[in-house]
Amino acid sequence: MKLHMQNLTKSYHSGHPVLNVPDGTLGEHGLEGLIGPNGAGKSTMMGLLTRRIAPSTGTVSLEDDTDLHTLNALQSHDVARLGLVKTNQRIQGFESLTIRDSLRLAATSHADETYRGVLTGSEQDDAIEADIDGYLDRFKFEDPDGFAKSGGEKKLLDILRCMIFKPKMLLMDEPTAGLPEDVTNEVMKMVGEKVKSKEMTVVIVEHDLELIWKHCKYVHFLSEGAILFHGTPKDVKKNRVVAEKYMGV
Amino acid sequence: MAYLLFSLSLLLVYVGLAQMLHVQFGLLGIPNFGVVGFWGFGMYFVGVLQVQLSMSFIDAMVLSSVLLAVISYGLGHLILRLERQAILCATIAFSAIVALLIVTEKWATMGVVGLGTIRYPLRVFEAEEILHFVILLAFVIGAQIYLMRLHKSRLGRLMVAIRDNEELAASLGKDTFRVKLRAFTITATIMGILGGLSAALNQFLTPNMIVPSITFAVWISLVLGGKEHALGGMIGVFITFGIFDIFIETYAPVSPEFAVLVPNIKLFLYGALLVAVLLYRPTGLLDRDTEPRDILIGSLGAIAASITAVVTGLSWIAKGFESLAARAKKDDDA
Amino acid sequence: MWIVRDSIFIGLLEASPLILAAMGFTLIYYLNGFINFAYGENMTFGAYFAVMLNVGFGLNFYVAIVPAALLAGCLSVASYLFIFRPALNRGVKPSEMIILSVGLSFMLRYGLVLFVGAENAYLNEPPIGFYNFMGLGATNLQLIALILVIIFALNLYWLIYKTNFGEVIRGLANNEDLAQVSGINPHKVSVKVWFIAGVAGGLSGIFSGVFALANPQMGWNLILITIMVSIVAGVGSVRGALVASIVAGILTSFITLISKPLYAEVVLLVAFILILWQRRGKMA
């Protein structure tokens, strides 16, 4: 699955645009990275892509195997149903749902959450439960039947919620911030597997460049609201603009 | 006996309202402060159709419910995307509109003169009051069973998720606005149906029945009982309405001069109780994980303790008033 | 044209209590970020303090106004210190703060009923004189109320927008942590703001009492329109509250002149819901 941006701009109070992308595509290469200095517009771009922020001009469209969907008229739940989901940079969660319930919520199709279902009460879906067990075996929580306790657990739960939703395209907004190193490695391993088996395409926004170089096949460099360069990690590392603007060389 | 039956029926109406408010506020986080508006709309509309147009109770109820469903759907569309403080103000405004229109539209509601007499829906037996009570009881039990199941269901889980973090739920593909709109429409309409059933109970309607203290009584019950627990509203109503409107009015030894003060004391204590609960036990008596067995034991204990406390307190105050009155009389005589 | 002239005139006269209430209410909303329903009882108690001093202790009406308003200010501070601040410290959310304030409102209102009864109370007003004003009548009391309100409103406006203290309030409302770092004691400022708001509410209640009568329910009847005016004016803008309350006063008297008074309220309430809807996402 790919994301196309066309003439996409966002400006606040008719000022200078914080983001300006005449033409761009994300997700052509399986696992991609998006890097750039603070204030480059990465978060704005993420918000625009998932329809949390309305663009000033331009269109975002999502291309899957058969169709091209323009996202402009859609609400954020419609975007998610098309298969585009994002993990959160800031910790987000449902404080009254246990870890399992939170995962069940993400895995359950909205069409099954009905008033009639309350009466017929098919409480458990075996496929979903097996899926959840799989994730909880792989990633250890202090109390998997209770609530996520530490910030790290909440962050991990946020990522797992997105995974179990089975998106076709996943945007990860600074997934490693706040996660212990071994968990980060395991998450990246899992992401790698999913991309390899063509279950989803993934775009990672990260400050941790080592992680980007290690895992991503392709990297976009964003600065001052524009995509200044993109290419393989090798090319990006060698690029003079990137070096000057970002890596402070 | 007839009065007790009336009180018990009214208690069930309050339980029903608290159950609906539990779905709105406890599960979805919609602070509906216009409960009396929805209830009063149903009550008056059913009354007007029956008295002025001689419609049958069932027809009046159906017509009223359809209309109220349309109104609450429209209102929900306007307000459910707003943040909570704004929803609260808008629903109060709605109930104020209903109360004002009941006074102004004299041609239909008879205004302050009052509207009557509304008959019971079922008149097959002599004991129509009992039958009406049974209808209400069945309604409340049905709603309670549904609520308990809702708490364990996928829909209930989704509602709680929306209350906790609506944006996150939407990012997982949930159409949160539609869930809220539907639930609001359904529960607000049921509040109106409870109003329609109350019309027959009251038989004679006056605008001063549509007062904010009804909304408030439902709220205090839910918050006191536990807004996140399926049984919270019911327990809360048993305690508040059960003590003040049934126990004291029917059994407590209060002198007539003192009895007129009881409603004011009640509302004063409700206010104090609400402040105390929000400050010291925000979840209410039952938090979301309280087990049924604990509820039974706890509530029996609580009811016994509060009845003792209230009766002792009241008889003390009553004695004080009597001695004051006696002294005043002595002074007068002197 | 007479309708326009009359509604402006009557509207201004009748809006004067509302102007005070809206400004005072807005101050609290602005500073602490929640809707305080108990502010209605602040008005009621202001009126009853005046009745107590005026009728009970036989003070001259004009003399009684000052201590009554100050007492209302103290009541407001007490509600902040004993109820709202502890709740804010416990992290009660804004939507629950409102419920808390409704609880306090009922407690105060029915506590008052227990003491003074539910009947109306009347002030011993000074002799009433009628003045003719371009063919329109106004009583001396209405005119005095209007003048006092204008003076108070101007002072409040000056305090918020032209003084150091006003800057501190605005700083605190926007960012408590930052304000604290720059050496502001938020607690002291809050107490002052609640006092000023309470005095404004008390005065508002007294003048409502002058125009009609004092009744334990008067605050509850006034608070809804006060909240509406403040929200429509934009969150926490004292300037906006001033303008909106004047507009609401004029609008009410306009609709009243062309229809029945109760319809005026219905129209305002419907307009309120529509304005909220139209502004969605723009509230704090």
Side-chain angles (χ1 to χ4, degrees):
Chain A
M1 204 176 219
K2 293 178 224 165
L3 264 172
H4 300 291
M5 295 169 274
Q6 215 111 50
N7 297 323
L8 190 65
T9 67
K10 176 72 193 177
S11 41
Y12 293 100
H13 307 300
S14 68
H16 188 73
V18 288
L19 192 82
N20 182 5
V21 182
D23 187 37
T25 303
L26 296 176
E28 276 177 318
H29 306 268
L31 185 50
E32 299 185 354
L34 178 67
I35 60 171
N38 280 327
K42 300 189 295 285
S43 299
T44 308
M45 188 188 259
M46 289 289 123
L48 288 170
L49 295 178
T50 50
R51 296 291 305 150
R52 274 154 82 118
I53 307 176
S56 303
T57 64
T59 54
V60 177
S61 41
L62 195 62
E63 183 190 339
D64 57 23
D65 303 335
T66 49
D67 285 307
L68 187 69
H69 310 273
T70 308
L71 302 188
N72 283 45
L74 302 182
Q75 290 174 285
S76 67
H77 65 263
D78 293 319
V79 174
R81 284 183 206 175
L82 284 176
L84 176 65
V85 162
K86 175 177 141 337
T87 71
N88 294 290
Q89 180 197 359
R90 287 219 329 254
I91 288 175
Q92 298 275 339
F94 304 110
E95 57 186 79
S96 354
L97 295 187
T98 60
I99 292 170
R100 266 181 205 281
D101 270 340
S102 203
L103 292 174
R104 284 185 187 122
L105 177 84
T108 305
S109 152
H110 192 26
D112 290 336
E113 292 158 333
T114 59
Y115 285 88
R116 199 192 307 171
V118 173
L119 290 177
T120 52
S122 47
E123 270 161 40
Q124 288 204 345
D125 181 319
D126 292 337
I128 289 177
E129 296 304 315
D131 228 9
I132 292 174
D133 286 339
Y135 280 107
L136 291 181
D137 280 342
R138 185 161 183 181
F139 296 94
K140 295 295 175 207
F141 287 88
E142 198 186 312
D143 177 13
D145 296 309
F147 297 89
K149 294 200 173 66
S150 61
E153 285 201 349
K154 287 177 185 161
K155 185 104 185 181
L156 175 62
L157 181 59
D158 189 54
I159 294 171
L160 294 186
R161 259 195 310 258
C162 290
M163 284 293 174
I164 208 162
F165 181 79
K166 297 200 170 69
K168 291 181 199 150
M169 182 162 186
L170 178 67
L171 307 176
M172 304 182 86
D173 199 349
E174 300 195 18
T176 67
L179 282 188
E181 201 182 333
D182 53 329
V183 179
T184 303
N185 291 337
E186 195 59 30
V187 166
M188 289 316 297
K189 209 174 130 200
M190 173 178 69
V191 168
E193 291 161 12
K194 302 261 178 197
V195 171
K196 205 168 174 197
S197 63
K198 299 244 187 288
E199 282 174 60
M200 58 181 80
T201 53
V202 177
V203 178
I204 302 179
V205 178
E206 251 307 337
H207 280 295
D208 180 356
L209 291 178
E210 288 312 312
L211 180 128
I212 296 279
W213 305 145
K214 191 171 154 199
H215 296 280
C216 295
K217 301 274 174 308
Y218 202 79
V219 177
H220 304 263
F221 175 68
L222 192 69
S223 181
E224 287 157 26
I227 298 180
L228 293 187
F229 189 81
H230 45 91
T232 61
K234 223 188 211 167
D235 296 338
V236 174
K237 266 194 257 187
K238 273 191 292 190
N239 186 273
R240 238 192 46 228
V241 184
V242 180
E244 266 173 28
K245 296 231 179 211
Y246 192 29
M247 291 185 275
V249 181
Chain B
M1 186 58 207
Y3 187 72
L4 182 63
L5 197 60
F6 168 78
S7 297
L8 285 175
S9 304
L10 209 53
L11 174 116
L12 291 177
V13 169
Y14 274 88
V15 171
L17 291 175
Q19 286 168 332
M20 295 308 121
L21 186 64
H22 164 68
V23 175
Q24 293 177 349
F25 183 66
L27 290 178
L28 276 162
I30 303 169
N32 177 3
F33 244 84
V35 175
V36 71
F38 300 98
W39 174 79
F41 181 95
M43 184 163 83
Y44 253 94
F45 211 81
V46 168
V48 167
L49 292 180
Q50 264 200 333
V51 173
Q52 310 283 30
L53 302 175
S54 324
M55 246 188 214
S56 80
F57 185 86
I58 301 293
D59 290 351
M61 191 67 118
V62 169
L63 197 59
S64 150
S65 303
V66 169
L67 192 62
L68 187 57
V70 172
I71 291 174
S72 14
Y73 184 83
L75 182 69
H77 241 288
L78 290 178
I79 67 172
L80 289 177
R81 280 188 219 273
L82 305 176
E83 56 110 29
R84 285 181 192 170
Q85 298 206 38
I87 295 180
L88 196 147
C89 293
T91 46
I92 289 192
F94 171 77
S95 67
I97 292 171
V98 171
L100 284 169
L101 287 179
I102 286 170
V103 177
T104 57
E105 305 312 300
K106 295 190 189 68
W107 55 275
T109 64
M110 308 292 287
V112 289
V113 177
L115 182 76
T117 309
I118 298 143
R119 289 148 307 169
Y120 281 98
L122 290 173
R123 268 161 288 145
V124 273
F125 300 111
E126 288 290 289
E128 51 195 22
E129 290 100 337
I130 295 178
L131 204 59
H132 200 63
F133 174 78
V134 172
I135 295 173
L136 277 165
L137 190 65
F139 188 96
V140 164
I141 292 175
Q144 192 58 45
I145 293 171
Y146 192 86
L147 273 187
M148 313 270 252
R149 297 194 66 115
L150 179 64
H151 270 254
K152 292 189 192 124
S153 74
R154 292 167 180 169
L155 181 64
R157 186 169 62 208
L158 174 59
M159 287 178 167
V160 168
I162 291 174
R163 180 193 68 203
D164 281 356
N165 192 338
E166 185 170 350
E167 209 174 317
L168 184 61
S171 80
L172 293 167
K174 314 295 183 187
D175 190 347
T176 58
F177 179 66
R178 223 176 83 182
V179 173
K180 288 204 292 185
L181 186 57
R182 266 200 193 170
F184 181 75
T185 307
I186 293 172
T187 48
T189 306
I190 294 179
M191 284 178 174
I193 293 176
L194 288 162
L197 291 169
S198 314
L201 205 57
N202 285 317
Q203 302 198 330
F204 191 76
L205 309 181
T206 53
N208 64 10
M209 290 174 170
I210 315 296
V211 283
S213 50
I214 292 187
T215 301
F216 189 65
V218 178
W219 266 88
I220 175 74
S221 304
L222 182 67
V223 171
L224 174 69
K227 58 183 184 295
E228 292 183 24
H229 199 285
L231 280 162
M234 186 184 273
I235 299 282
V237 172
F238 285 168
I239 296 175
T240 56
F241 195 89
I243 290 176
F244 281 102
D245 295 73
I246 295 187
F247 187 78
I248 290 182
E249 300 228 343
T250 322
Y251 299 108
V254 237
S255 61
E257 309 94 78
F258 186 60
V260 294
L261 290 176
V262 169
N264 295 325
I265 295 179
K266 170 177 86 176
L267 288 166
F268 169 75
L269 287 179
Y270 280 6
L273 206 56
L274 187 57
V275 170
V277 169
L278 282 171
L279 278 178
Y280 300 109
R281 192 172 163 84
T283 54
L285 291 176
L286 314 181
D287 61 29
R288 64 176 173 240
D289 302 320
T290 312
E291 296 293 330
R293 197 173 52 93
D294 301 336
I295 295 172
L296 192 69
I297 300 167
S299 56
L300 285 178
I303 289 173
S306 20
I307 286 178
T308 323
V310 169
V311 169
T312 326
L314 280 181
S315 56
W316 271 81
I317 299 174
K319 259 184 212 148
F321 265 88
E322 271 157 24
S323 69
L324 271 181
R327 197 179 301 164
K329 204 169 171 223
K330 214 186 267 170
D331 288 350
D332 282 355
D333 292 347
Chain C
M1 264 331 275
W2 66 270
I3 278 199
V4 176
R5 193 192 57 184
D6 284 15
S7 30
I8 291 177
F9 188 74
I10 300 171
L12 271 181
L13 284 180
E14 297 201 336
S16 49
L18 184 60
I19 293 171
L20 282 175
M23 290 176 85
F25 173 85
T26 305
L27 271 182
I28 295 174
Y29 191 12
Y30 186 40
L31 186 70
N32 294 111
F34 70 90
I35 289 170
N36 179 13
F37 270 90
Y39 193 71
E41 276 52 50
N42 211 182
M43 300 183 221
T44 313
F45 274 74
Y48 271 90
F49 287 140
V51 170
M52 181 182 80
L53 293 165
N54 174 228
V55 180
F57 295 107
L59 279 185
N60 175 289
F61 170 74
Y62 295 108
V63 180
I65 290 180
V66 178
L70 293 179
L71 280 174
C74 295
L75 178 75
S76 170
V77 171
S79 72
Y80 170 68
L81 288 180
F82 296 117
I83 309 282
F84 293 116
R85 194 164 65 110
L88 286 169
N89 288 345
R90 281 163 195 266
V92 177
K93 284 175 264 170
S95 58
E96 290 185 349
M97 286 299 288
I98 310 186
I99 300 163
L100 181 72
S101 78
V102 176
L104 181 63
S105 157
F106 269 76
M107 191 175 135
L108 289 174
R109 186 169 354 138
Y110 288 96
L112 184 70
V113 173
L114 288 178
F115 272 100
V116 302
E119 300 81 24
N120 300 327
Y122 298 89
L123 285 151
N124 277 336
E125 292 163 358
I128 292 183
F130 273 97
Y131 292 87
N132 222 316
F133 216 68
M134 299 188 304
L136 293 163
T139 68
N140 53 345
L141 277 175
Q142 281 177 316
L143 291 174
I144 286 166
L146 186 62
I147 292 165
L148 283 177
V149 165
I150 291 172
I151 294 172
F152 195 88
L154 285 177
N155 266 312
L156 199 54
Y157 185 87
W158 172 77
L159 186 77
I160 303 298
Y161 289 103
K162 303 286 179 209
T163 65
N164 219 351
F165 182 62
E167 223 167 277
V168 168
I169 295 176
R170 281 178 282 149
L172 206 56
N174 291 329
N175 189 336
E176 184 157 331
D177 298 333
L178 196 72
Q180 227 162 349
V181 172
S182 49
I184 297 167
N185 181 343
H187 175 46
K188 260 188 185 161
V189 177
S190 297
V191 168
K192 280 184 198 160
V193 165
W194 280 75
F195 183 75
I196 295 170
V199 170
L203 280 177
S204 158
I206 296 170
F207 289 129
S208 312
V210 173
F211 294 160
L213 36 86
N215 178 289
Q217 304 292 336
M218 65 190 280
W220 180 263
N221 295 335
L222 284 169
I223 190 69
L224 193 56
I225 186 154
T226 306
I227 293 173
M228 278 163 42
V229 161
S230 306
I231 289 181
V232 168
V235 177
S237 158
V238 172
R239 208 181 312 216
L242 186 69
V243 177
S245 49
I246 295 172
V247 172
I250 293 170
L251 207 62
T252 319
S253 56
F254 173 70
I255 306 168
T256 311
L257 285 174
I258 57 170
S259 73
K260 296 182 213 161
L262 287 177
Y263 280 124
E265 277 190 56
V266 173
V267 171
L268 278 186
L269 288 165
V270 172
F272 171 63
I273 295 178
L274 290 175
I275 290 174
L276 282 180
W277 166 71
Q278 188 258 329
R279 287 234 199 122
R280 63 189 178 276
K282 288 186 196 157
M283 279 184 66

